[in-house]
């Protein structure tokens, strides 16, 4: 079954605004990752945050992780039209020797120029 | 600089036909995976491999088989295609950290 639940399912914002997406998961994790998928394309890795980390930055991206609440958030600052895509969180369970990712259903972000 | 390459990119099959999807990676990754993505869904794991000669079942393995005879290749087979297998298939490889995904194979079973 799917691990993560992203919220909201869809988000529409104006260019220049910030976009925040949330992810909740169910099990104990080794790490949590965020991916972007442009329409009809493969997934692109954005950022990985380990279970002992609380916040991580990469360019305009900021990810937080709260393991006590089993939740994560992805913030995209100063959004651009090119950020329009679906965003997925995915988790690697603790002790998962296969390092397999379990995905949520994604948030569809539309950035209006 | 190829990363993960999937072939073919598109395919239409008739019910009952068989086919093999090929995934090749040039990053020397030990771990490889096959996922399927259906409309409005995230990716679901079909099968995976933690090294050459090993395979294991994921969340939705029924109707599929896999082989990892060489470290760089991971094959996904459909022995008798069914309309329920209409989906977009993604291959990925990993070095125990982030994944690298292929661009996908869009399969339609009629």
């Amino acid at each position: 079954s799917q691990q993560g639940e992203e919220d909201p399912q869809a988000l529409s914002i104006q260019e220049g605004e910030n976009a925040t997406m949330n992810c909740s998961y169910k099990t104990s994790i080794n790490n949590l990752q965020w991916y972007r998928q442009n329409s009809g394309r493969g997934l692109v890795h954005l950022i990985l945050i380990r279970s002992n980390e609380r916040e991580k930055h990469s360019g305009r991206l900021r990810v937080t992780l709260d393991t006590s609440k089993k939740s994560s958030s992805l913030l995209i600052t100063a959004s651009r039209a090119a950020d329009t895509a679906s965003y997925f969180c995915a988790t690697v369970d603790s002790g998962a020797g296969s390092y397999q990712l379990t995905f949520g259903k994604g948030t569809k972000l539309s950035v209006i120029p | 600089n190829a990363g993960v390459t999937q072939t073919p990119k598109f395919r239409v099959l008739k019910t009952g036909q068989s086919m093999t999807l090929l995934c090749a990676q040039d990053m020397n990754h030990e771990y490889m995976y096959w996922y399927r993505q259906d409309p409005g869904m995230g990716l679901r794991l079909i099968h995976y491999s933690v090294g050459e000669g090993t395979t294991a079942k994921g969340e939705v393995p029924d109707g599929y088989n896999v082989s990892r005879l060489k470290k760089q290749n991971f094959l996904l087979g459909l022995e008798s295609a069914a309309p329920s297998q209409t989906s977009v298939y993604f291959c990925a490889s990993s070095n125990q950290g982030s994944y690298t995904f292929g661009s996908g194979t869009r399969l339609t079973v009629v």
Side-chain angles (χ1 to χ4, degrees):
Chain A
S1 62
Q2 304 212 247
Q3 162 82 300
E5 286 286 336
E6 283 93 340
D7 170 52
Q9 292 186 346
L11 179 61
S12 185
I13 59 174
Q14 296 287 331
E15 200 166 29
E17 292 180 338
N18 295 342
T20 299
M21 289 159 266
N22 301 298
C23 167
S24 60
Y25 58 91
K26 298 173 185 173
T27 63
S28 179
I29 62 170
N30 176 290
N31 67 72
L32 184 145
Q33 304 179 30
W34 284 90
Y35 288 82
R36 183 185 73 228
Q37 184 180 35
N38 291 88
S39 181
R41 307 293 292 274
L43 279 77
V44 175
H45 177 257
L46 296 176
I47 199 163
L48 180 155
I49 186 165
R50 302 192 187 282
S51 61
N52 61 353
E53 298 175 310
R54 291 296 166 258
E55 188 171 313
K56 208 160 181 180
H57 296 256
S58 177
R60 293 184 296 114
L61 306 180
R62 173 178 169 255
V63 168
T64 62
L65 178 64
D66 186 337
T67 53
S68 66
K69 296 181 179 178
K70 290 186 166 58
S71 67
S72 174
S73 67
L74 170 67
L75 169 67
I76 303 174
T77 60
S79 63
R80 305 166 182 169
D83 295 328
T84 294
S86 291
Y87 292 82
F88 295 89
C89 72
T91 56
V92 174
D93 287 353
S94 298
S98 62
Y99 296 93
Q100 57 184 275
L101 282 172
T102 304
F103 283 85
K105 295 182 180 180
T107 292
K108 192 167 186 178
L109 174 65
S110 298
V111 181
I112 303 165
Chain B
N1 209 20
V4 176
T5 303
Q6 289 183 234
T7 53
K9 294 192 185 309
F10 303 93
R11 185 74 186 268
V12 178
L13 282 181
K14 293 183 179 179
T15 297
Q17 285 185 319
S18 64
M19 79 163 293
T20 300
L21 282 67
L22 172 63
C23 177
Q25 54 99 359
D26 61 1
M27 297 167 287
N28 202 36
H29 286 170
E30 288 291 337
Y31 301 82
M32 296 187 75
Y33 313 82
W34 277 106
Y35 287 86
R36 60 177 287 172
Q37 185 178 31
D38 299 298
M41 302 281 286
L43 278 67
R44 291 183 293 168
L45 183 65
I46 305 171
H47 285 279
Y48 63 95
S49 168
V50 299
E52 182 179 319
T54 74
T55 64
K57 294 180 180 180
E59 180 187 351
V60 288
D62 293 343
Y64 306 95
N65 57 74
V66 287
S67 65
R68 183 103 181 265
L69 298 179
K70 293 183 179 180
K71 186 177 184 179
Q72 63 267 35
N73 296 336
F74 195 29
L75 278 62
L76 178 70
L78 286 73
E79 290 185 348
S80 180
S84 61
Q85 294 177 304
T86 293
S87 189
V88 182
Y89 292 85
F90 288 99
C91 175
S93 69
S94 167
N95 61 351
Q96 301 183 22
S98 61
Y99 279 35
T100 301
F101 281 86
S103 57
T105 295
R106 188 172 294 272
L107 176 66
T108 302
V109 183
V110 298

